Amino acid sequence: MGSLRSKTISGGWHIEKQSKRVFNVGTRSFIAALIILFLLMVLTYALTFLLPAGEYQRVMTDGKESIVPGTYQSVTGGLPFWEWLLSPFLALGSSGSGTVIAIIAFLLVIGGAFNAMDECGVLSYMFNRVYRMFETRKYRLLLLVSLFFMSLGAFVGSFEECVPLVPIAVALAYSLGWDALVGLGMSLLAVGFGFSTGVVNPFTVGVAQQLVGLPMFSGIWMRLVTFVLIYGLLIAFLIPYAKKIEKTPSKSMIYDPSMTQRWASLRTDYVEDKKKDRALIWFAAVLGTGILLILCSSFVPFLQEIIMPLIAVIFLVAGTVSSLVSGMGLRAYMKSFGKGMVNILPAVLLILMANSIRYTMTESKILDTILFKTVQLTQNASSGVVVLMIYALALVLELFISSGSAKAFLLMPLIAPIADLSGISRQIAVLAYAFGDGFSNVFYPTNPVLLISLGIVGIGYGKWFKWSAKIQLAVLALTSALLLFANAIGY
């Protein structure tokens, strides 16, 4: 079958007819994401001139900062133009930037490891093996993979950690006769939706319930019902699309004849290779260890603090060992690894730009003003309207602050008294917050995980928006109905 050769355009992987690359971030998709983020940066900076600056008093609770309700006051704000221009880089020195730095380092390691596995042929060999195992049961595999990713999000709180698995799922989808969108649907979309249901998600539901004085993970039955319904909705969306693409590949909005021909030829040219079999065993063993640690992190606080760098190390080891065992020389591996890191740098720029939006709102002191105005709107509203407004508030702030736990510390001190005054339970308030924080993670162009994932597989945000908008609207309608139902029964 030969070794895979990678010559990426702007950081990632893509199969072409003349080369043996498995993935590639397309220049067009990168430029589109760049333009969208720049426009959002401009819009955010414009808001600093339109909205008055204001601030709430804050207190530290268990090392975390939270707002004191009723303490909002006008202050002097604004942001110099030069600081806004440099905000993507200045944000790295601001509070809460540790997570962004960890994600960037994590991404560079993943880019290097997967590029090496790509060039040595391990990835394409692995997908051929899976294809032969599930050739007659491919839709059962789709159900299982989607459930696996949703469970990681719902029961472990994994989201960023699953980025390295996205290109695997996408290549698996191609090997089974589908397209990259199906792969993204059963991995990225699934883990994002699972994270949002928050069954026992420590980073959203867990933190929010503690902040409002509820037993951790109480009220789980409603979130389990949500999990089942959302999973059913996801499958009802993915399977008809996958069957349509399998029957007529040209109906895919990302149809590429060379991609289809390439996977067909790989399946035809497949020959068993004992070295690559050993490489896959090593890769599966190390990857399995990583998944086990992700599962354990829900119960071991120490692991929660180091899970991102730990998973990066695990994938570094998995990529290194499997590549070398497959027969790749050390010098060739180092060269390929370095090339993969360099190729992923454009995605790093997108992350920095997305992070700068939060920095601009915080430094110009308009973020608290937005919160204050929203709190005022809830006065004298019915309980059902208040529930939906809490949902909407979390959705709006998610555009600027993607961290679930950070948003919980920001919002919950305000949401709790609003819930009390409006006659709704704090449990519903937490549920509305979790819904608002999560589902838009895989839709908003300011979320770095979405940008990374789209960039790695070379899909422009516009096509992702068009493809996923229908299910996002369905999720919005379903979750709004669930919130109103929970309010009606006194959840």
Side-chain angles (χ1 to χ4, degrees):
M1 185 169 63
S3 63
L4 294 178
R5 299 196 54 180
S6 176
K7 184 181 179 184
T8 54
I9 297 176
S10 57
W13 308 279
H14 178 70
I15 299 176
E16 288 191 358
K17 191 172 183 179
Q18 289 80 17
S19 71
K20 296 194 175 183
R21 293 177 277 175
V22 178
F23 303 103
N24 189 16
V25 175
T27 304
R28 187 176 300 176
S29 62
F30 167 72
I31 292 175
L34 195 72
I35 292 172
I36 290 170
L37 282 173
F38 180 73
L39 291 176
L40 286 172
M41 286 178 62
V42 172
L43 175 63
T44 305
Y45 188 56
L47 288 177
T48 66
F49 296 97
L50 300 174
L51 296 177
E55 232 176 16
Y56 280 101
Q57 292 180 18
R58 286 169 165 77
V59 295
M60 298 299 293
T61 306
D62 297 328
K64 299 288 187 177
E65 187 180 69
S66 59
I67 284 174
V68 179
T71 60
Y72 176 84
Q73 60 182 359
S74 298
V75 296
T76 301
L79 193 72
F81 181 71
W82 68 266
E83 189 172 347
W84 171 73
L85 282 178
L86 297 177
S87 60
F89 307 99
L90 295 176
L92 290 176
S94 64
S95 175
S97 61
T99 301
V100 176
I101 295 173
I103 290 175
I104 291 173
F106 173 75
L107 180 62
L108 292 172
V109 170
I110 299 309
F114 270 101
N115 194 65
M117 292 178 65
D118 184 355
E119 289 197 354
C120 72
V122 171
L123 284 182
S124 60
Y125 187 80
M126 176 174 63
F127 302 131
N128 271 291
R129 296 283 285 181
V130 173
Y131 174 80
R132 278 157 176 73
M133 290 174 60
F134 289 93
E135 186 174 5
T136 60
R137 299 172 294 165
K138 58 176 66 178
Y139 288 98
R140 183 181 301 177
L141 181 62
L142 188 152
L143 293 173
L144 292 174
V145 171
S146 300
L147 181 61
F148 168 74
F149 275 98
M150 269 199 71
S151 297
L152 280 181
F155 297 97
V156 182
S158 294
F159 187 52
E160 293 92 344
E161 299 89 343
C162 293
V163 167
L165 302 178
V166 170
I168 295 178
V170 168
L172 177 61
Y174 272 119
S175 71
L176 293 171
W178 304 323
D179 66 5
L181 292 172
V182 177
L184 284 167
M186 62 184 184
S187 57
L188 178 69
L189 210 56
V191 74
F193 283 2
F195 185 92
S196 311
T197 63
V199 180
V200 286
N201 187 336
F203 306 112
T204 54
V205 171
V207 171
Q209 287 183 328
Q210 286 183 313
L211 288 173
V212 300
L214 293 172
M216 195 167 179
F217 302 135
S218 58
I220 191 173
W221 71 267
M222 187 68 188
R223 297 191 299 278
L224 281 170
V225 169
T226 303
F227 180 91
V228 173
L229 293 175
I230 293 296
Y231 176 69
L233 188 64
L234 176 64
I235 295 305
F237 175 71
L238 286 180
I239 288 183
Y241 178 79
K243 288 184 175 180
K244 180 178 73 172
I245 298 307
E246 182 181 3
K247 182 179 179 181
T248 313
S250 60
K251 289 187 177 181
S252 169
M253 66 176 62
I254 57 169
Y255 176 62
D256 182 352
S258 64
M259 184 74 79
T260 304
Q261 294 168 10
R262 180 63 190 140
W263 278 110
S265 65
L266 285 177
R267 291 195 292 267
T268 303
D269 299 340
Y270 171 76
V271 177
E272 287 195 19
D273 186 323
K274 291 184 178 180
K275 283 187 176 181
K276 287 187 173 61
D277 283 334
R278 287 196 296 270
L280 289 182
I281 291 173
W282 275 100
F283 180 74
V286 179
L287 181 61
T289 302
I291 293 173
L292 182 62
L293 288 173
I294 291 174
L295 294 171
C296 292
S297 68
S298 294
F299 314 101
V300 184
F302 170 70
L303 286 178
Q304 292 179 12
E305 297 174 2
I306 64 168
I307 192 64
M308 284 291 288
L310 186 60
I311 296 299
V313 170
I314 287 170
F315 270 89
L316 174 62
V317 173
T320 302
V321 172
S322 61
S323 298
L324 296 180
V325 170
S326 72
M328 192 179 203
L330 181 60
R331 180 176 296 180
Y333 172 77
M334 295 298 293
K335 182 178 180 181
S336 179
F337 187 90
K339 188 192 302 181
M341 291 183 66
V342 171
N343 288 336
I344 215 70
L345 288 177
V348 173
L349 176 60
L350 299 181
I351 294 173
L352 294 177
M353 292 176 67
N355 190 47
S356 73
I357 293 172
R358 177 190 61 84
Y359 176 86
T360 298
M361 296 185 70
T362 303
E363 294 300 311
S364 65
K365 302 189 184 302
I366 64 169
L367 182 60
D368 284 6
T369 299
I370 294 174
L371 292 174
F372 176 70
K373 296 295 184 183
T374 305
V375 169
Q376 285 186 319
L377 291 175
T378 64
Q379 295 176 354
N380 302 319
S382 66
S383 60
V385 171
V386 173
V387 170
L388 296 181
M389 289 188 70
I390 292 173
Y391 189 9
L393 175 60
L395 280 171
V396 170
L397 285 186
E398 174 65 20
L399 186 64
F400 306 101
I401 305 172
S402 59
S403 170
S405 55
K407 206 155 47 269
F409 276 93
L410 184 68
L411 278 181
M412 295 317 296
L414 289 173
I415 289 176
I418 291 174
D420 294 341
L421 292 172
S422 303
I424 64 176
S425 71
R426 293 190 173 191
Q427 197 72 262
I428 296 178
V430 170
L431 188 65
Y433 159 74
F435 287 174
D437 168 76
F439 290 107
S440 54
N441 276 329
V442 287
F443 195 62
Y444 285 168
T446 52
N447 188 282
V449 175
L450 174 62
L451 296 177
I452 292 167
S453 301
L454 294 181
I456 285 176
V457 300
I459 293 179
Y461 176 75
K463 290 183 178 179
W464 174 256
F465 179 94
K466 183 178 179 181
W467 182 75
S468 63
K470 185 181 295 185
I471 190 171
Q472 286 286 353
L473 288 173
V475 166
L476 181 63
L478 175 58
T479 50
S480 297
L482 286 170
L483 288 172
L484 293 176
F485 169 74
N487 184 53
I489 65 172
Y491 170 68

